[in-house]
């Protein structure tokens, strides 16, 4: 093919690709987390297969129907009665959706060193996960034990503040080998009736 014809063909392909992208209501992969190797590709695949949107919808439902946050005493990763009660509600929801994975994120206030607070946030996340496991949740469905330490305070203060000393549980995705997920029946999962009766 002569050079002008090659250039014309390349221009036509570029124009076609541009028009195809412009026709989308949202850019593919627009919710990309650049935090890890392969995350952009994974998020693009999840968006294209519909999984990402369903994950967002279920995450919103979880946050609406169940308290997602527990708090801790200063310099502690011990669960008090209130924290155990909230985790009990979370476990009831999680049991009702065996096709879904969850993440637990640990946080601290700004008192103490960054390294110490990172470790303390991780201890808090592990305490919450261990309690959920004791309530019958399979540990393999609890995706990540992540510590944000002091980096994401709810209340910007250098003083002790219980609201900053917390863990947050969130929907993180789907169990990939579950039959409903394999068949792509995500709507059947997320719109399943759930009664907060503890069972």
């Amino acid at each position: 093919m002569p050079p002008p014809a090659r250039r014309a063909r390349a221009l036509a392909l570029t124009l076609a690709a541009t028009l195809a992208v412009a026709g989308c209501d949202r850019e593919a992969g627009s919710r990309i987390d650049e935090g890890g190797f392969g995350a952009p590709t994974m998020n693009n695949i999840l968006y294209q297969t519909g999984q990402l949107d369903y994950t967002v919808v279920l995450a919103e439902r979880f946050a609406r129907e169940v308290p997602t946050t527990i708090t801790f005493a200063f310099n502690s990763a011990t669960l008090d009665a209130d924290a155990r009660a909230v985790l009990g509600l979370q476990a009831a929801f999680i049991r009702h959706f065996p096709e879904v994975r969850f993440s637990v994120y640990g946080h601290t206030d700004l008192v103490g060193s960054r390294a110490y607070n990172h470790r303390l946030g991780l201890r808090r996340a592990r305490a919450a996960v261990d309690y959920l496991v004791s309530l019958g949740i399979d540990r393999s469905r609890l995706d990540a034990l992540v510590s944000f330490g002091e980096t994401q305070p709810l209340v910007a203060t250098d003083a002790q503040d219980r609201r900053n000393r917390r863990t947050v549980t969130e929907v993180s995705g789907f169990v990939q080998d579950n039959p409903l997920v394999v068949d792509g029946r995500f709507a059947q999962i997320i719109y399943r009736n759930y009664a907060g009766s503890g069972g």
Side-chain angles (χ1 to χ4, degrees):
M1 181 181 295
R6 258 187 265 145
R7 278 196 298 272
R9 183 170 185 243
L11 181 61
L13 289 173
T14 302
L15 180 60
T18 302
L19 290 173
V21 170
C24 297
D25 65 338
R26 183 180 343 172
E27 180 182 345
S30 62
R31 295 185 192 157
I32 290 177
D33 172 14
E34 294 290 349
F37 179 76
T41 300
M42 178 191 71
N43 280 304
N44 194 30
I45 291 168
L46 293 177
Y47 177 74
Q48 294 300 326
T49 61
Q51 293 182 60
L52 191 58
D53 281 342
Y54 283 119
T55 301
V56 171
V57 171
L58 187 59
E60 290 168 353
R61 180 177 178 185
F62 179 64
R64 188 173 59 249
E65 296 181 12
V66 180
T68 60
T69 302
I70 61 173
T71 60
F72 294 84
F74 180 69
N75 196 30
S76 174
T78 301
L79 302 172
D80 62 18
D82 290 340
R84 289 191 300 274
V86 168
L87 290 170
L89 295 172
Q90 290 181 12
F93 187 100
I94 293 169
R95 275 195 300 274
H96 197 73
F97 293 91
E99 309 88 351
V100 181
R101 302 176 73 98
F102 293 79
S103 294
V104 178
Y105 301 92
H107 300 266
T108 68
D109 58 26
L110 297 176
V111 178
S113 73
R114 183 175 289 262
Y116 180 81
N117 283 337
H118 182 81
R119 290 190 304 272
L120 179 57
L122 187 58
R123 287 196 342 257
R124 288 175 174 162
R126 286 181 176 153
V129 165
D130 288 345
Y131 192 74
L132 289 169
V133 169
S134 79
L135 296 176
I137 306 303
D138 188 330
R139 190 177 296 272
S140 69
R141 293 183 51 219
L142 300 168
D143 256 341
L145 298 174
V146 178
S147 174
F148 287 114
E150 63 189 40
T151 63
Q152 296 183 1
L154 286 178
V155 180
T157 177
D158 290 335
Q160 297 179 23
D161 195 304
R162 187 174 182 103
R163 291 169 292 180
N164 289 334
R165 302 189 304 263
R166 69 199 190 280
T167 64
V168 179
T169 306
E170 296 179 358
V171 171
S172 59
F174 293 93
V175 177
Q176 291 305 306
D177 62 355
N178 185 279
L180 288 180
V181 174
V182 170
D183 288 345
R185 293 184 287 171
F186 301 108
Q188 189 174 338
I189 297 168
I190 67 166
Y191 294 114
R192 180 179 300 140
N193 287 336
Y194 169 74
S197 62

